[in-house]
Amino acid sequence: MRADVEYSPVGEGLGMSEFWLYVWMRRVAVIAAHVIAVGLTVLISLLSRPGTSLFSWHPVCMSIAYLLCLTEGILLFSPEGTPFCFKARKGKVRLHWFIQALVILAAATGVGFMVASKNVSERPHLATWHSLLGVGTLAATVLQAACGICLLFPKLLKLSPPRLKLYHATCGLVVYLLATVTVVSAMFSDWFQATVKGVVWYAFLLLPLFPALVIMNQITNAYLPRKKITT
């Protein structure tokens, strides 16, 4: 007797019209997530006025790393489509590696500018919840990258590739949600509240949550076991 886990297709149990409506809504949601990721990155970069100070580069680098690259690196595998013209999984995996390397590079650069800015202004490090969350997010990102490297050597860990992919995807979701919380916490910083006010501030606060919901739905639909079959 052996128990296997079957991963059911998305939309199972729906009628034909309901299924196509569900697919259409998912595609619209994924497109919206792409637009929000790019739009927020551009807007935050403009608001930061890069070059005016050392700190000004911190929001730019971190938004490129987590709002743009991390989002696109995960949505790359969305069954609803991606702006990148890769249909073969091998091509997607290679591009995913490249994008994730950009995440770490941009994030490390952003942290470097923040540390330099703190040192110049003689302000204490890790004095806010945002900074603590940021360090935790960066550490989790590095660990997730290490987990991705393990996928190249599954035999050394004595784990099956499907199980390693499940672990990698689950850890990736945790990293993305942690990054989203960190981004949202940045909206409460003195710099951001002095720069953005009123209704626009609430829009910035809520918009990062939408791509997080899309990515959560993508990963859970791809890897969440729906039913068990005993053979």
Side-chain angles (χ1 to χ4, degrees):
M1 300 293 289
R2 182 172 63 88
D4 293 327
V5 177
E6 179 181 286
Y7 296 93
S8 302
V10 176
E12 184 181 22
L14 297 177
M16 185 59 67
S17 59
E18 291 86 354
F19 173 77
W20 286 113
L21 177 61
Y22 180 76
V23 171
W24 181 82
M25 291 177 63
R26 281 171 59 90
R27 288 180 177 175
V28 170
V30 170
I31 293 172
H34 285 297
V35 172
I36 291 172
V38 175
L40 280 177
T41 302
V42 171
L43 289 175
I44 291 177
S45 298
L46 292 174
L47 291 172
S48 302
R49 295 183 298 169
T52 56
S53 64
L54 286 172
F55 170 80
S56 66
W57 290 104
H58 175 71
V60 175
C61 292
M62 302 314 266
S63 59
I64 290 174
Y66 289 105
L67 287 176
L68 182 61
C69 291
L70 189 61
T71 302
E72 295 300 332
I74 298 176
L75 290 179
L76 180 65
F77 297 102
S78 172
E80 277 69 42
T82 171
F84 300 103
C85 300
F86 287 100
K87 292 185 178 180
R89 182 172 178 82
K90 188 175 182 179
K92 290 183 178 181
V93 169
R94 289 178 177 176
L95 183 57
H96 176 75
W97 271 100
F98 176 73
I99 294 175
Q100 295 305 95
L102 290 180
V103 171
I104 296 177
L105 179 61
T109 304
V111 171
F113 277 115
M114 188 71 256
V115 171
S117 176
K118 292 277 189 177
N119 289 338
V120 170
S121 61
E122 297 183 348
R123 299 180 62 184
H125 297 282
L126 303 178
T128 64
W129 280 108
H130 173 66
S131 61
L132 293 173
L133 287 169
V135 170
T137 300
L138 183 59
T141 303
V142 174
L143 290 175
Q144 170 65 355
C147 181
I149 294 174
C150 292
L151 285 171
L152 301 176
F153 311 100
K155 293 183 180 179
L156 294 178
L157 299 176
K158 297 181 180 180
L159 290 172
S160 63
R163 188 170 294 276
L164 278 175
K165 289 179 181 179
L166 173 61
Y167 293 157
H168 182 59
T170 303
C171 291
L173 176 59
V174 172
V175 170
Y176 193 87
L177 294 178
L178 183 58
T180 301
V181 173
T182 305
V183 170
V184 170
S185 69
M187 309 301 179
F188 294 91
S189 65
D190 294 337
W191 166 77
F192 195 83
Q193 288 188 325
T195 305
V196 180
K197 300 178 180 180
V199 177
V200 178
W201 181 85
Y202 287 98
F204 272 97
L205 182 68
L206 296 176
L207 280 175
L209 302 179
F210 186 80
L213 292 175
V214 172
I215 286 175
M216 185 186 302
N217 184 66
Q218 172 186 323
I219 294 177
T220 53
N221 280 329
Y223 292 98
L224 185 66
R226 302 299 177 87
K227 60 183 179 181
K228 293 184 177 180
I229 300 177
T230 302
T231 58

